[in-house]
């Protein structure tokens, strides 16, 4: 998100779990290396105040969408599409597909149907609106059974929330894991339609 905005691409980040204020301080930390814990405690330095003033001169927008911002608190693809159109968004990041409402389906549909509809709608939106869409999903509990050649757990496209449809429709899929006790962060390309 930070890199896209820095390079002139307006961004919309859907965050159903983390409030915009928390994401904002993370953004400030990534961009200008302020201490995230200091920002959360309200310990602002003069450099931080100057940084906040400089944000007013930014030409490229970065929006954080929370459920509370949508009508009835329900975020769906038509709502996001309207925001993309209104603000000229070029990158949409969905960090919580399972929280989105399926505008085509009905309540009680299986996760498979919900994700199928959501992903098809996001894919169509990306083509119609000429914007990139990144969907971030967590691996499900079955991931513990998927191990690499060193015996370490590694998620794959079949270990996501309730359906493999997001990975099937995607043009690129990356799997990522952290092994805290070994200080390792691994990223693996699972799928690349154009490579």
């Amino acid at each position: 998100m930070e890199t896209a905005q820095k390079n002139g691409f307006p961004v919309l980040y859907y965050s159903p779990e983390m409030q915009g204020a928390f994401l904002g301080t993370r953004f400030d930390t990534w961009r200008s290396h302020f201490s995230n814990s200091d920002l959360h405690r309200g310990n602002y330095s003069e450099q931080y105040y100057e940084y906040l003033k400089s944000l007013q001169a930014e030409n490229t927008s970065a929006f954080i969408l929370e459920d509370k911002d949508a009508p009835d608190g329900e975020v769906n693809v038509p709502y996001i599409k309207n925001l993309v159109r209104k603000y000229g968004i070029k990158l949409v990041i969905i960090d919580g597909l399972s929280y989105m409402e399926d505008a085509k389906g009905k309540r009680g549909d299986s996760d498979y149907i919900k994700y199928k509809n959501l992903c098809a709608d996001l894919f169509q939106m990306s083509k119609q609106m000429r914007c990139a869409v990144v969907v971030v999903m967590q691996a499900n509990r079955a991931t513990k059974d998927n191990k690499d050649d060193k015996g370490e757990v590694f998620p794959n496209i079949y270990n996501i929330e309730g359906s493999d449809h997001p990975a099937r429709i995607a043009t690129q899929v990356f799997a990522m894991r952290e092994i805290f006790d070994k200080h390792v962060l691994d990223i693996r390309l699972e799928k690349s339609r154009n490579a």
Side-chain angles (χ1 to χ4, degrees):
M1 178 180 181
E2 192 273 335
T3 301
Q5 186 209 25
K6 188 175 178 181
N7 288 285
F9 295 94
V11 182
L12 174 70
Y13 186 103
Y14 171 54
S15 174
E17 292 183 335
M18 190 176 288
Q19 294 175 338
F22 289 114
L23 285 171
T25 59
R26 282 189 178 182
F27 196 80
D28 297 343
T29 300
W30 292 324
R31 175 173 269 188
S32 297
H33 308 290
F34 294 106
S35 166
N36 204 30
S37 57
D38 281 348
L39 297 181
H40 281 286
R41 286 190 221 112
N43 297 331
Y44 303 152
S45 65
E46 284 303 314
Q47 291 86 2
Y48 186 64
Y49 286 117
E50 289 301 316
Y51 163 79
L52 291 176
K53 284 182 192 173
S54 74
L55 290 179
Q56 296 173 17
E58 290 285 332
N59 292 324
T60 307
S61 302
F63 297 95
I64 296 172
L65 173 63
E66 296 179 61
D67 291 330
K68 68 177 179 58
D69 301 322
D72 301 323
E74 295 184 358
V75 173
N76 58 32
V77 176
Y79 182 72
I80 290 174
K81 186 175 179 180
N82 286 335
L83 294 173
V84 168
R85 182 180 294 114
K86 181 176 181 179
Y87 297 109
I89 302 297
K90 294 298 177 193
L91 173 62
V92 175
I93 301 171
I94 306 292
D95 187 4
L97 189 68
S98 61
Y99 291 89
M100 288 183 66
E101 294 297 321
D102 176 8
K104 288 182 180 172
K106 53 187 180 290
R107 296 210 189 268
D109 277 347
S110 68
D111 284 346
Y112 177 82
I113 297 296
K114 176 182 175 178
Y115 293 143
K116 180 179 178 184
N117 290 341
L118 287 170
C119 291
D121 289 349
L122 288 168
F123 189 71
Q124 287 301 319
M125 180 191 77
S126 74
K127 291 193 306 186
Q128 291 169 353
M129 305 305 294
R130 303 179 68 99
C131 69
V133 176
V134 174
V135 177
V136 180
M137 298 181 76
Q138 292 183 357
N140 64 25
R141 306 241 186 268
T143 301
K144 66 181 173 35
D145 299 328
N146 184 42
K147 298 188 178 181
D148 65 11
D149 57 352
K150 295 178 184 146
E152 297 285 351
V153 173
F154 209 119
N156 63 32
I157 61 175
Y158 305 105
N159 301 123
I160 54 179
E161 305 174 25
S163 172
D164 67 345
H165 197 80
R168 285 196 280 138
I169 200 169
T171 55
Q172 289 187 315
V173 177
F174 294 89
M176 189 169 73
R177 72 170 172 195
E178 277 185 281
I179 307 172
F180 291 102
D181 59 336
K182 295 181 180 177
H183 305 285
V184 171
L185 175 66
D186 288 328
I187 301 174
R188 181 172 69 195
L189 179 63
E190 289 282 318
K191 175 184 178 182
S192 182
R193 185 172 288 163
N194 301 324

